[in-house]
């Protein structure tokens, strides 16, 4: 697809560089932006540029934050001895929405992915170890995605944190609440049987 | 979803204003941009801003172009007496890819859509009538989408151009080449029967 305008071509190329956006979709987005008022598009591009340039990270948990310490880390009602390790801010939002967790977080900023050249030092793993080393942490819950990369990252962190003598746990894997057994994949169903627990424990809420 | 950073919130809001991008996807795009180098993101936002501010339109066919006259309108081998009317630049690209059309284009910049408040004067319809009025145009092919809005626009243009005494045609609607009849919708199949043509004509290529 060669376009009649290098300005348009350039914008389409940039939009198509976003994950999950192909050139056809990028073209649709570019034409939508072209139909808007110039000041609207200026506000659009400015918001993205400012986010990248001025964004700050919580000095405790590495979550995205406008303040030096994020609202969760500042909250005296949260249990600072219980740290939930997640990949990014989306996981923090998802867990907060469950209202089941009263501890604090540690945001890695990704998972170990050798294929993309992302190793432990590209993530906030050293900051996590430092938090644990400073003491006061009873338990670290690994809440990472059930992918190969998530498992690798969990394996690595468990080994590093075990040295520090802290308890490392991981979120339960199993059949979704409300789901049919015959729809589940074999791995998940197998794991849910291996990890079965006393009935009394599972019904108390 | 309330975020811990107003900078991030702002960027997500802007990305979610794009057509077909929900807040979840916008969040994914924002996090991807956050992982890039600042100069890359600056190039991204600059490309979009520049496109909107500096884009020009061909003074003949209203297509997006870096020059006052687009490459197709400048080409002496194209038949300037045959104008194909399309909605936007994507349709120009699609028709050019068929290599079946040697005329020139007229880009409306949209279709009549009363629900969105888009009337004939918001499109390049006056420029089209002016081109026809200046003479030298034998035929205007309406190549608009088969939607209610496309049909309305075609109806309107046909009435306006008929006054100028030019021949107005429309692209053929029918069963896709290679498609099964029982997969086609009734409207299309009905139209393909009503618009049947002599076998000899349809096989010569």
């Amino acid at each position: 697809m060669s376009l009649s305008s290098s300005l348009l071509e350039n914008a389409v190329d940039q939009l198509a560089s976003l994950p999950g956006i192909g050139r056809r979709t990028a073209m649709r987005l570019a034409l939508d932006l072209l139909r808007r008022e110039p000041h609207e598009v200026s506000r659009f591009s400015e918001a993205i540029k400012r986010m990248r340039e001025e964004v700050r990270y919580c000095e405790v948990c590495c979550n995205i934050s406008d303040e030096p310490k994020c609202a969760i880390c500042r909250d005296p009602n949260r249990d600072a001895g219980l740290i939930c390790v997640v990949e990014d801010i989306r996981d923090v939002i998802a867990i907060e929405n469950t209202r089941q967790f009263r501890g604090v977080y540690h945001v890695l900023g990704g998972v170990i992915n050798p294929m993309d050249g992302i190793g432990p030092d590209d993530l906030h793993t050293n900051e996590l170890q430092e938090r644990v080393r400073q003491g006061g942490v009873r338990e670290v819950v690994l809440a990472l995605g059930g992918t190969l990369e998530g498992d690798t990252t969990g394996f690595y962190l468990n080994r590093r944190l075990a040295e520090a003598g802290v308890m490392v746990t991981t979120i339960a894997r199993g059949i979704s609440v409300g789901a049919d057994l015959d729809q589940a994949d074999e791995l998940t169903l197998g794991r849910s049987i291996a990890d079965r627990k006393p009935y009394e424990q599972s019904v108390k809420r």
Side-chain angles (χ1 to χ4, degrees), chain A:
Chain A
M1 183 158 71
S2 101
L3 303 182
S4 52
S5 156
S6 60
L7 287 166
L8 178 64
E9 183 109 41
N10 220 338
V12 169
D13 283 347
Q14 289 292 343
L15 288 165
S17 75
L18 293 170
I21 308 281
R23 279 191 63 87
R24 255 169 195 271
T25 306
M27 184 69 171
R28 195 157 49 87
L29 302 185
L31 290 179
D32 183 83
L33 288 164
L34 269 180
R35 286 200 197 98
R36 301 188 192 183
E37 295 296 320
H39 74 266
E40 283 182 63
V41 177
S42 171
R43 211 187 309 144
F44 177 95
S45 78
E46 204 55 36
I48 288 168
K49 197 176 168 191
R50 275 197 60 199
M51 170 187 73
R52 182 61 191 90
E53 282 173 0
E54 298 173 26
V55 82
R56 292 163 70 179
Y57 295 90
C58 171
E59 59 193 25
V60 180
C61 73
C62 307
N63 195 6
I64 295 164
S65 168
D66 287 343
E67 318 257 338
K69 246 174 131 173
C70 77
I72 294 174
C73 288
R74 282 201 314 269
D75 186 344
N77 294 319
R78 310 281 303 216
D79 178 358
L82 177 62
I83 298 179
C84 180
V85 178
V86 293
E87 183 176 339
D88 64 32
I89 188 172
R90 285 178 296 176
D91 303 322
V92 174
I93 296 167
I95 295 174
E96 284 299 288
N97 284 341
T98 69
R99 297 168 181 269
Q100 296 290 318
F101 185 68
R102 296 304 300 165
V104 292
Y105 294 91
H106 191 85
V107 179
L108 291 178
V111 282
I112 297 173
N113 190 342
M115 296 289 280
D116 290 353
I118 298 170
D121 290 338
D122 299 315
L123 308 174
H124 300 129
T125 54
N126 296 324
E127 289 88 340
L128 175 61
Q129 198 167 29
E130 189 49 38
R131 272 177 92 174
V132 170
R133 193 177 290 142
Q134 282 174 0
V137 180
R138 295 187 318 280
E139 180 181 344
V140 173
V141 189
L142 302 177
L144 301 167
T147 59
L148 182 61
E149 291 78 19
D151 284 345
T152 307
T153 310
F155 182 80
Y156 171 84
L157 288 177
N158 181 46
R159 221 184 38 192
R160 263 187 76 174
L161 295 173
E163 300 163 11
V166 72
M167 179 162 80
V168 180
T169 57
T170 174
I171 53 167
R173 310 273 178 205
I175 303 295
S176 299
V177 178
D180 284 332
L181 291 200
D182 59 349
Q183 303 293 329
D185 64 291
E186 288 170 22
L187 264 177
T188 303
L189 187 54
R191 199 139 159 192
S192 78
I193 291 172
D195 292 352
R196 66 193 178 279
K197 51 190 290 194
Y199 186 77
E200 296 299 324
Q201 263 183 47
S202 76
V203 287
K204 74 152 195 254
R205 282 241 125 208

